[in-house]
Amino acid sequence: MARDNALDSPARRGRAQPKQSRDRFGRFTEWIARAMGTPTFLALLTLFCVAWIAWNSLMPAGVRFDEVSNGFTALTLVLSLQASYAAPLILLAQNRQDDRDRVQIEQDRQRAERNLADTEYLAREVVALRMAMTDLVEQSLSRDVLRQELRTLLAELDDRAALEPGERPATDGGAAKKESR
């Protein structure tokens, strides 16, 4: 028992088909435009025209289908028809390429904006790190100065403790005086 709406088969929607056929036609126009812009195409078209002219000039009159006396009217018609179809197909291919280029330019612009924002963010972070490092160095220097001061004070306290109980160390560069009670 096969069901059309089974879970293992894709859902069918009528809207997907026109887009696919438009895309297929667009790819076809691009293929034509690429093919017509090649030296191979020009060589084949030249060979076609030479063969046409040679057939209608050199073959017996009963097998000719385009008379020289009429100026190869059928050849002119075929080449005009080819040109009248080639021009719009090439334009369609160019329009598709323009659309792709427009999308690519928009994506490049968005990527450039993101890169700029990232660069600005990183620049701010670098400045913040520099400031933090400067503060850290200043704090380190002030810590070193503070440590040195504390060491000096500790040394003075050690000197005081080493003195006799009644003596006081000189702070003004003079001799130590005895404390009077």
Side-chain angles (χ1 to χ4, degrees), residues 12-167:
R12 297 178 190 196
R13 293 187 177 105
R15 294 181 183 164
Q17 188 66 6
K19 181 176 173 50
Q20 187 180 16
S21 67
R22 264 187 278 143
D23 192 46
R24 184 178 298 148
F25 184 72
R27 285 193 310 264
F28 172 73
T29 61
E30 288 174 343
W31 178 79
I32 293 290
R34 275 193 303 273
M36 293 181 102
T38 63
T40 304
F41 175 79
L42 292 175
L44 290 175
L45 186 61
T46 302
L47 287 174
F48 172 78
C49 291
V50 168
W52 184 292
I53 291 170
W55 180 273
N56 289 303
S57 298
L58 303 174
M59 295 306 274
V63 238
R64 295 181 190 166
F65 51 87
D66 194 14
E67 291 297 322
V68 179
S69 60
N70 292 335
F72 298 112
T73 309
L75 179 61
T76 305
L77 179 65
V78 167
L79 292 176
S80 296
L81 187 63
Q82 181 264 337
S84 68
Y85 275 100
L89 288 175
I90 291 170
L91 288 174
L92 284 171
Q94 285 177 344
N95 287 342
R96 281 177 53 93
Q97 185 62 44
D98 288 344
D99 291 342
R100 277 196 301 272
D101 290 345
R102 197 172 306 115
V103 168
Q104 184 65 39
I105 288 169
E106 179 63 24
Q107 289 173 348
D108 289 346
R109 185 189 62 76
Q110 290 172 353
R111 193 175 302 115
E113 285 178 357
R114 283 193 308 268
N115 286 342
L116 179 63
D118 290 347
T119 303
E120 289 174 350
Y121 171 76
L122 289 173
R124 286 191 303 270
E125 288 297 313
V126 166
V127 167
L129 285 172
R130 271 191 190 161
M131 291 172 64
M133 291 299 293
T134 303
D135 290 345
L136 184 63
V137 167
E138 288 174 359
Q139 287 176 0
S140 175
L141 289 176
S142 63
R143 281 186 199 148
D144 288 342
V145 169
L146 184 60
R147 283 186 187 128
Q148 186 61 37
E149 286 292 322
L150 286 173
R151 284 187 192 119
T152 305
L153 288 173
L154 280 173
E156 285 179 17
L157 285 174
D158 286 342
D159 289 345
R160 259 190 207 177
L163 292 177
E164 293 179 16
E167 295 180 13

